[in-house]
Amino acid sequence: MDITEFRKRGKEMVDYVADYLETIEQRQVYPDVEPGYLRSLIPEEAPDEPEAYEDVIQDIERVIMPGVTHWHSPFFFAYFPTASSFPAMLADMLCGAIGCIGFSWAASPACTELETVMLDWLGKMLRLPKDFLAGTEGQGGGVIQGTASEATLVALLAARSRIVKQIQAHDPQRSEVEIISKLVAYSSDQAHSSVERAGLIGGVRMKKMSTDGKFAVCGETFRKTLEEDKASGLIPFYFCATLGTTPSCAFDRITELGPICNAEGMWMHIDAAYAGSAFICPEFRPLLDGVEFADSFNFNPHKWLLVNFDCSTMWVKRRADIIGAFKMDPLYLKHDHQESGTCIHWQIPLGRRFRSLKLWFVFRMYGLRGLQAYIRKHVGLAKEFERLVRNDERFEICADVVLGLVCFRLKGSNELNELLLRRINGARRVHLVPCQLAGAFVLRFAVCSRTTESRHAQEAWRHISELASELLRGQKPRSDGTNQISLQTETSSALIWKRLRAAQCDRSAAWS
Amino acid sequence: MDITEFRKRGKEMVDYVADYLETIEQRQVYPDVEPGYLRSLIPEEAPDEPEAYEDVIQDIERVIMPGVTHWHSPFFFAYFPTASSFPAMLADMLCGAIGCIGFSWAASPACTELETVMLDWLGKMLRLPKDFLAGTEGQGGGVIQGTASEATLVALLAARSRIVKQIQAHDPQRSEVEIISKLVAYSSDQAHSSVERAGLIGGVRMKKMSTDGKFAVCGETFRKTLEEDKASGLIPFYFCATLGTTPSCAFDRITELGPICNAEGMWMHIDAAYAGSAFICPEFRPLLDGVEFADSFNFNPHKWLLVNFDCSTMWVKRRADIIGAFKMDPLYLKHDHQESGTCIHWQIPLGRRFRSLKLWFVFRMYGLRGLQAYIRKHVGLAKEFERLVRNDERFEICADVVLGLVCFRLKGSNELNELLLRRINGARRVHLVPCQLAGAFVLRFAVCSRTTESRHAQEAWRHISELASELLRGQKPRSDGTNQISLQTETSSALIWKRLRAAQCDRSAAWS
C-alpha cells in the first residue's frame, strides 16, 4: 500500500469508524458466538502473497464484528466504562504517524515534555496538592501508565525499595531478602484483583482488610490490624486504598487511613481507577480529601475521561522514590534531564507511545466544563436508574449510588438473581455483569457509553423489569434454547456462583 | 465534536499523516530544543471552554514537531527501528473505534480469538516447534505483550513460581521466601537492561555471564558458572538468552545453552526483540535453531515487522506455567475457556487493546513474501554500509554484520570516536547512538525507517566520512556554537564516557 492508496483507504476507514459508531445502537450488544468460533472463519496460515484491501475490509463484518462485545453501545452497562471520543481518536492517529518511542528525553523530547505538562494540567483539574505536580522545580510529578494494575505494582515496588533502604540505613547487616520476608502490604477486601497480584509479583504478603457497612476500610480496623502485625514481628510498609471499588464504587476512608500511614512511615497509594475522573467536578472533589497524605495517586482517564485506552495517569510526591526502585544510574538520569521533571523510567515497559497527545486533544476540544458536564450526565443517568429501581418494590438497592454505578437485586435468593442476570444477558438487548456484596449476588448497572441517554436507561429498566416479571411468574425465558448462554442459565448456577465467590467477583467484573 | 465533524477532521488527519510521512525526509531528524522547551509554549492550565479544532491542529507544528525526533526519517539510524506501515495504522484506527478491552474471552471474544490465531500464524511463519502453537488442542500458544521487557518479566515470574512449586512438592517444609532467597537467574553481559530489571522486580539474583569474542554466551562458560553456583548452595532456575543483542546484534549460542537448561530443569527464555522478525526468512531461520529447548520465546513485530508499537509477541510451551504464576482460579479459567487456547491473563496489565488487528492487516496486505522482502532490503542496506566502512582504512568494523546493524568506529581512541559521534549528531543530518564493545566506544548504524533506500545510506556515509576528515584534520565542527549538543561535545566527554560505561550502553541505545 503506497501513500496514495493510504490517503484513499484512510478516508474510507474514517467513514467506516463513523458509520460503526453512528449505528452501534442497532448492533446486538453481546455476541452469539461460541468459543473457538473465529479459527474456522480464516485460513490456517498467513498468505504468501498480498491480498486485496477490499478482501481484508470485507472480513471485518464477516469475521470480527460477529464476535465483538460492543463496549460503546448505549446498551452496554457492564464492567466499568472504557473511554472513547473523537478528539482522542484523532490524536491516536497522529500518535501512530509520529511513531516515536519515548523511553528517554532525547528519544523524542516532545513526547516526554508534553506528558509531564499534561499531567500537571490534569493534576490542577483535580486540585491535587502541589506536591504532586512537577512544575519547573517540584519534586513530584505525573506519568502515564498503561493500566492501573501497573501503577499499583510500580508503587508497591517503590515502597518496597524505600523501606529496605530505610531499614538497611539503620541496620546494614540485615539482608534485603530477610527484610522482604517480613514486609506486609494492605488493601481492602473490595480491592481489585490486580492489587493482590502486585503483592504476588513483588513477593510480599498482601492482607485484605475487612470493610464496613459501606464496603470501605476505616481507620479503626486498620490500626488494630497494624498493631497485631507489628506485635508479631511483621513490617507494615504499603497500603493501597481504593476510591471507587469495582464491585460497588465504595470509598476507603483515606482521611482516617492517611494519617496512620504517615505516622507509621508506610507508603499510601490511592487507586481511583474509575472514580478519579469525577474529581474534576467540585461537588465530587471531597471524595478525594485525604490525598494529601498519599505518596502516590492513580486513576484511568481511559475509563471515564473520554481518552481512549491506554492512558492511566499516576502522580507521585517524590519522583526519587520511584526512580530509586529501579536503581537507575544517577549519571544517566542527569543526562536525561531527570531533574527537570520528566517522567521516564517510571514504569515496567521501557518503550512508550506518545499517549499525552490524546490528553491534550481531549482537554482542549472539551474544555474543563465540557468534561465536567460529561461526568455529571453519567451520574445523572445512574441516579435516574436508581429511582426506577427504588420505585419497584420487588427490587432493592445494595450500595450507595455515588457516581455512575447502580448495584441492585431482586429481593430474594442469590439463585433468583443469578437467573435474572442470565436471562438479561441471554436476551442480548443490554449487557450487565454481577458482583458479590456481603454474600449477596448483585447486579451492576454501570453507565458506560458516551452516547447513553435517558431513553437507553429507561428502556433498559423496562426490559429488566419485564424479564423479572416473567421470572417471578415462573415463565421460561423467551429466548430459551436459542443460544448457549440462556441454555446454560438453568443448569450451571451452582458452578457459576461458586466461581463468582472464588473469584471475589471483581475478576469477572473488572478491568484495570 | 460531533460525528459529522469527525468525518471531516478524520479525513484531514489522514492527509496530515500522509503529508508528514511523505515529506519527512525534509525535516531535521533530531530536534534543536532544550530541556523544558515545551512548557513555555502552552498555557499552564487546561482551558475551561472548548477551543477551536483549527487551533489545536496548528499547535502540532508550533509545539510538537519542533521537539520530535523523527524515527521514521530515512536518515534515522539510531537505537533499533520502530515499525510503521499504512496497513498497521489503518488497523489501529479500527482498534480505537471498536475500543473493547480484552481482559477475558467474554469481554470481546473476537479480540482474544484473533490474537490466538494470529500468534499461530506468526509462529508458523517463524517455523516455531509445534509445542509453541495453540492450535485447537495444543498446550502452548502465543500472546501479545506491550514490550519485550514485560515478556522477560512474565517469563521470570512463571519460572520463579514453577521452581518454588517443584521444590515444595518434594519438601513442603521449605518456605517460598527461603527458596526465592536461593534462586539465581542468568543472562548475557550484553543483555538489555530490562533483563536486569526483571530480576530486581522479581526479587531474585541476576547474574550476567561473560561473552566470547562474538559477544555471545557459550555453553562452556554457562556450565562452569552453574557448577560454581550449585556448589555454593544456589538454585539456578532461569536463563534469558538474547538473539540479537542491543549493542551489536550478537546471538547467544542457544544450541549449546538449551540442552544445559533442559538438563538442569531451568526455564530458558529467548529474547529476540529486534532479530526475531528476520527469522521469517529461511536464510536467517538457522539463527533460531535451539528454540526447541526453550520454555518461552519473544520478539517485537513492532520493531521490524511493520506493525506499529505496541506489539511484542510471546510464545510459551505450557500455558499452564504462566497461568500458575498468577495463581488464577481454575474455575474461573474454565469459565473463560482457557482450555481452548486463549491468551488472557498472561501479562502484567489486565486491560488490553485489540492489537491483533494490526498483525492481521499487515500479514494480509504484505503477505509473507512482502515481509521477507522488507527484511532482506534492510539487511542489504546494512551490508552496503558495511562495505563502505570497510573500504575506508581509517575505520574498522567492530562486530559481525548479520542483520540490519553495523557497529563501526574510527581506528583510534575512544575520545576521538566520541567526538565524531557528537559532530554527527550535532550536524543533525543523520542520527546515530553509540555502544560500548569490549571497552571500545563504538558507533551504531541501524537501518530503521521503512523508507530508507541505498541513496540514504550512501549519503549518510559521505556525510560521516567528511566529518571524520574534518575531525582528523583538527577542524572545529562547522556547526560549532550553534546548538547545545555540539557545544557539549568538546567539554563533557569524560562525563559522557563515564555514563556510557555505567549504563552498559544499552540503557541509552535501546528500548524494548
Side-chain angles (χ1 to χ4, degrees):
Chain A
M1 180 179 291
D2 64 14
I3 213 157
T4 307
E5 190 179 1
F6 172 71
R7 287 182 197 270
K8 178 169 182 285
R9 301 308 187 184
K11 290 165 192 172
E12 289 170 6
M13 184 60 85
V14 168
D15 276 328
Y16 182 84
V17 165
D19 291 345
Y20 170 69
L21 292 169
E22 195 162 31
T23 60
I24 197 167
E25 189 171 335
Q26 295 154 33
R27 293 182 187 256
Q28 183 174 291
V29 60
Y30 187 82
D32 280 327
V33 297
E34 308 249 346
Y37 90 94
L38 186 141
R39 195 176 281 271
S40 61
L41 298 179
I42 63 175
E44 289 185 10
E45 295 188 26
D48 276 344
E49 302 296 338
E51 295 183 49
Y53 184 74
E54 287 80 0
D55 292 340
V56 177
I57 284 302
Q58 279 174 14
D59 278 352
I60 302 301
E61 289 296 338
R62 184 180 71 88
V63 177
I64 302 300
M65 286 300 172
V68 169
T69 304
H70 298 288
W71 283 61
H72 302 291
S73 162
F75 293 114
F76 181 92
F77 302 107
Y79 313 106
F80 271 138
T82 184
S84 176
S85 72
F86 298 124
M89 281 189 272
L90 294 171
D92 251 351
M93 289 165 66
L94 182 62
C95 168
I98 294 175
C100 63
I101 305 294
F103 59 86
S104 73
W105 183 86
S108 214
C111 178
T112 301
E113 297 212 3
L114 187 66
E115 182 165 333
T116 305
V117 178
M118 285 305 102
L119 272 278
D120 274 2
W121 276 24
L122 185 52
K124 288 174 188 171
M125 289 159 71
L126 296 165
R127 304 196 193 172
L128 284 185
K130 265 196 174 170
D131 298 347
F132 287 104
L133 306 183
T136 50
E137 296 181 350
Q139 300 299 306
V143 64
I144 298 176
Q145 305 281 1
T147 61
S149 312
E150 288 164 70
T152 305
L153 175 61
V154 165
L156 181 137
L157 295 171
R160 189 184 73 176
S161 171
R162 189 175 79 174
I163 188 78
V164 168
K165 278 181 203 150
Q166 283 171 356
I167 292 174
Q168 288 184 329
H170 283 89
D171 190 353
Q173 302 302 315
R174 292 184 71 172
S175 75
E176 181 167 349
V177 163
E178 185 268 329
I179 295 168
I180 289 176
S181 75
K182 295 278 190 297
L183 296 181
V184 53
Y186 303 87
S187 69
S188 158
D189 63 14
Q190 302 290 304
H192 191 268
S193 62
S194 58
V195 179
E196 187 181 354
R197 226 155 74 123
L200 272 177
I201 293 169
V204 296
R205 270 177 208 81
M206 176 69 72
K207 285 206 175 179
K208 292 183 178 180
M209 313 280 297
S210 61
T211 47
D212 63 14
K214 301 279 191 191
F215 308 106
V217 177
C218 65
E220 202 182 313
T221 313
F222 185 41
R223 197 186 307 273
K224 210 178 134 203
T225 311
L226 280 184
E227 293 309 322
E228 287 169 7
D229 287 346
K230 287 196 291 181
S232 68
L234 296 178
I235 307 168
F237 81 108
Y238 177 75
F239 180 72
C240 178
T242 307
L243 295 183
T245 60
T246 304
S248 67
C249 198
F251 293 80
D252 288 342
R253 301 181 195 286
I254 54 172
T255 52
E256 296 171 23
L257 299 159
I260 302 173
C261 288
N262 287 182
E264 298 285 340
M266 294 172 65
W267 185 294
M268 182 162 84
H269 174 68
I270 297 175
D271 171 11
Y274 163 68
S277 297
F279 305 153
I280 63 166
C281 299
E283 68 272 33
F284 299 121
R285 177 58 179 76
L287 294 166
L288 186 59
D289 286 353
V291 68
E292 60 273 19
F293 302 112
D295 296 273
S296 51
F297 167 71
N298 169 254
F299 84 100
N300 292 349
H302 70 224
K303 275 202 166 68
W304 202 13
L305 209 59
L306 293 161
V307 180
N308 286 51
F309 188 87
D310 53 335
C311 182
S312 178
T313 47
M314 178 187 192
W315 291 262
V316 292
K317 267 190 192 154
R318 288 169 298 276
R319 297 195 295 270
D321 284 338
I322 299 275
I323 297 152
F326 296 118
K327 288 196 189 167
M328 299 307 289
D329 168 36
L331 270 172
Y332 169 60
L333 292 172
K334 192 171 167 66
H335 168 72
D336 277 329
H337 310 289
Q338 183 60 31
E339 71 278 9
S340 64
T342 60
C343 50
I344 50 169
H345 300 300
W346 294 16
Q347 61 281 316
I348 305 301
L350 290 180
R352 45 215 323 273
R353 295 189 301 142
F354 201 159
R355 293 177 290 198
S356 55
L357 286 171
K358 289 190 284 198
L359 289 171
W360 200 39
F361 272 52
V362 167
F363 294 161
R364 297 181 68 183
M365 294 304 297
Y366 279 89
L368 177 57
R369 303 245 168 111
L371 295 170
Q372 289 170 334
Y374 179 68
I375 296 290
R376 287 169 183 147
K377 179 183 134 190
H378 272 202
V379 177
L381 289 171
K383 297 280 187 193
E384 180 178 345
F385 189 85
E386 180 193 12
R387 282 192 297 274
L388 294 168
V389 177
R390 286 197 191 276
N391 287 338
D392 187 330
E393 60 182 16
R394 300 171 301 173
F395 284 88
E396 59 189 349
I397 293 289
C398 309
D400 290 350
V401 177
V402 181
L403 298 175
L405 176 67
V406 182
C407 289
F408 69 107
R409 71 196 298 277
L410 276 171
K411 293 169 184 167
S413 70
N414 285 336
E415 289 67 23
L416 183 73
N417 280 283
E418 196 193 319
L419 277 175
L420 174 62
L421 181 67
R422 288 282 146 177
R423 291 200 181 184
I424 292 168
N425 285 333
R428 300 286 200 270
R429 284 174 56 187
V430 299
H431 189 46
L432 273 67
V433 293
C435 71
Q436 190 213 133
L437 290 175
F441 186 100
V442 170
L443 282 64
R444 290 169 80 265
F445 176 92
V447 181
C448 286
S449 168
R450 186 177 54 79
T451 57
T452 301
E453 302 290 343
S454 173
R455 67 182 175 86
H456 301 105
Q458 295 281 347
E459 191 172 326
W461 174 248
R462 265 195 307 277
H463 176 59
I464 291 168
S465 175
E466 276 173 30
L467 292 175
S469 298
E470 285 176 15
L471 179 65
L472 294 170
R473 284 197 302 266
Q475 290 175 350
K476 294 223 167 185
R478 280 170 293 181
S479 60
D480 201 5
T482 60
N483 63 54
Q484 185 216 5
I485 296 275
S486 57
L487 274 175
Q488 280 185 350
T489 303
E490 323 280 344
T491 57
S492 65
S493 63
L495 174 70
I496 292 159
W497 180 234
K498 216 168 146 192
R499 171 181 59 77
L500 190 63
R501 292 184 68 96
Q504 288 291 340
C505 82
D506 66 355
R507 287 191 188 156
S508 62
W511 61 283
S512 190
Chain B
M1 179 178 291
D2 65 14
I3 213 156
T4 307
E5 190 180 359
F6 172 70
R7 288 182 196 270
K8 177 169 183 283
R9 301 308 186 183
K11 290 165 192 172
E12 289 170 6
M13 184 60 86
V14 168
D15 276 328
Y16 182 84
V17 165
D19 291 345
Y20 170 69
L21 292 170
E22 195 162 31
T23 60
I24 196 166
E25 190 171 336
Q26 295 154 32
R27 293 182 187 257
Q28 182 174 290
V29 60
Y30 187 83
D32 280 328
V33 297
E34 308 249 346
Y37 90 93
L38 186 141
R39 196 177 281 272
S40 61
L41 297 180
I42 63 175
E44 289 184 11
E45 296 188 25
D48 276 343
E49 301 296 337
E51 295 183 49
Y53 184 75
E54 287 80 0
D55 292 340
V56 177
I57 284 303
Q58 279 174 15
D59 278 352
I60 301 302
E61 288 296 337
R62 185 181 70 88
V63 177
I64 302 300
M65 287 301 172
V68 169
T69 303
H70 298 288
W71 283 61
H72 303 289
S73 163
F75 292 114
F76 181 93
F77 302 107
Y79 313 107
F80 271 137
T82 185
S84 176
S85 72
F86 297 125
M89 282 189 269
L90 293 172
D92 251 351
M93 289 166 67
L94 183 62
C95 168
I98 294 176
C100 64
I101 304 295
F103 60 85
S104 73
W105 183 85
S108 215
C111 177
T112 301
E113 297 212 4
L114 186 65
E115 183 165 333
T116 305
V117 179
M118 284 306 103
L119 273 278
D120 274 2
W121 276 23
L122 185 51
K124 288 174 189 170
M125 288 159 73
L126 295 166
R127 304 195 191 173
L128 285 185
K130 265 196 175 169
D131 299 347
F132 288 104
L133 306 184
T136 49
E137 295 181 350
Q139 301 299 305
V143 64
I144 299 176
Q145 305 280 3
T147 61
S149 311
E150 287 165 71
T152 306
L153 175 60
V154 165
L156 181 138
L157 295 171
R160 188 184 73 175
S161 171
R162 189 176 77 175
I163 188 78
V164 168
K165 277 181 203 150
Q166 283 171 355
I167 292 174
Q168 287 185 329
H170 283 88
D171 190 353
Q173 302 302 316
R174 292 185 72 175
S175 75
E176 181 168 350
V177 164
E178 184 268 330
I179 296 168
I180 289 177
S181 74
K182 295 277 190 297
L183 296 181
V184 54
Y186 303 88
S187 69
S188 158
D189 63 14
Q190 301 291 303
H192 191 268
S193 62
S194 59
V195 179
E196 188 181 354
R197 227 155 73 124
L200 272 177
I201 292 169
V204 296
R205 271 178 208 80
M206 176 69 71
K207 285 206 176 180
K208 292 184 178 178
M209 314 280 298
S210 61
T211 47
D212 63 14
K214 300 280 190 189
F215 308 106
V217 178
C218 65
E220 202 180 314
T221 313
F222 185 41
R223 199 186 306 272
K224 210 177 135 202
T225 311
L226 279 185
E227 294 309 323
E228 288 168 8
D229 286 346
K230 287 196 291 181
S232 67
L234 296 177
I235 307 168
F237 81 107
Y238 177 75
F239 180 71
C240 177
T242 307
L243 296 183
T245 59
T246 304
S248 67
C249 198
F251 293 80
D252 288 343
R253 300 182 195 285
I254 55 172
T255 51
E256 298 171 24
L257 300 160
I260 302 173
C261 289
N262 287 182
E264 299 285 340
M266 294 173 64
W267 185 294
M268 182 161 84
H269 174 69
I270 297 175
D271 172 10
Y274 164 68
S277 298
F279 305 153
I280 63 166
C281 300
E283 67 272 32
F284 299 121
R285 177 58 179 76
L287 294 166
L288 186 60
D289 286 353
V291 68
E292 60 273 19
F293 302 112
D295 296 274
S296 52
F297 168 70
N298 170 255
F299 85 99
N300 292 349
H302 70 225
K303 276 203 167 68
W304 201 12
L305 208 58
L306 293 160
V307 180
N308 287 51
F309 187 88
D310 54 338
C311 182
S312 177
T313 47
M314 177 188 194
W315 290 262
V316 292
K317 266 190 191 155
R318 289 168 298 275
R319 297 195 296 268
D321 284 337
I322 300 276
I323 297 153
F326 296 118
K327 289 195 189 167
M328 299 308 289
D329 169 35
L331 270 173
Y332 169 60
L333 293 172
K334 192 172 168 66
H335 168 73
D336 278 328
H337 310 289
Q338 182 60 31
E339 71 278 9
S340 65
T342 59
C343 51
I344 49 169
H345 301 301
W346 294 17
Q347 61 281 319
I348 306 300
L350 290 179
R352 45 214 324 273
R353 295 189 300 141
F354 200 158
R355 292 177 291 197
S356 55
L357 286 171
K358 290 189 285 199
L359 289 171
W360 199 40
F361 271 53
V362 167
F363 294 161
R364 297 181 68 183
M365 294 304 297
Y366 278 89
L368 177 57
R369 302 245 169 112
L371 295 170
Q372 289 171 334
Y374 179 68
I375 296 289
R376 287 169 183 146
K377 179 183 134 190
H378 272 202
V379 177
L381 289 171
K383 297 279 187 191
E384 180 178 346
F385 189 84
E386 180 193 12
R387 283 191 296 275
L388 294 168
V389 177
R390 286 196 191 277
N391 286 340
D392 186 330
E393 60 183 15
R394 300 171 301 171
F395 284 89
E396 59 189 349
I397 293 289
C398 310
D400 290 350
V401 178
V402 181
L403 299 175
L405 176 68
V406 182
C407 290
F408 69 107
R409 70 196 298 277
L410 276 171
K411 294 170 184 167
S413 71
N414 285 335
E415 288 68 24
L416 183 72
N417 280 283
E418 197 194 320
L419 277 174
L420 174 60
L421 180 66
R422 288 282 146 177
R423 291 200 182 185
I424 292 169
N425 284 333
R428 301 284 199 270
R429 283 175 55 188
V430 299
H431 188 46
L432 271 68
V433 293
C435 72
Q436 189 212 132
L437 290 176
F441 186 99
V442 170
L443 282 64
R444 290 169 80 265
F445 177 92
V447 181
C448 287
S449 169
R450 186 176 55 78
T451 57
T452 302
E453 302 291 343
S454 172
R455 67 181 174 87
H456 302 105
Q458 294 281 347
E459 192 173 324
W461 173 249
R462 266 196 307 276
H463 175 59
I464 291 168
S465 176
E466 276 173 28
L467 292 175
S469 297
E470 285 176 15
L471 179 66
L472 293 169
R473 284 197 304 266
Q475 291 174 349
K476 294 223 168 186
R478 281 170 292 179
S479 61
D480 200 6
T482 60
N483 63 52
Q484 183 217 8
I485 297 274
S486 57
L487 275 175
Q488 280 185 350
T489 304
E490 322 280 344
T491 57
S492 64
S493 63
L495 175 70
I496 292 159
W497 181 233
K498 215 168 147 192
R499 171 181 59 77
L500 190 63
R501 291 185 68 95
Q504 288 290 341
C505 83
D506 66 357
R507 287 190 188 157
S508 62
W511 60 282
S512 189

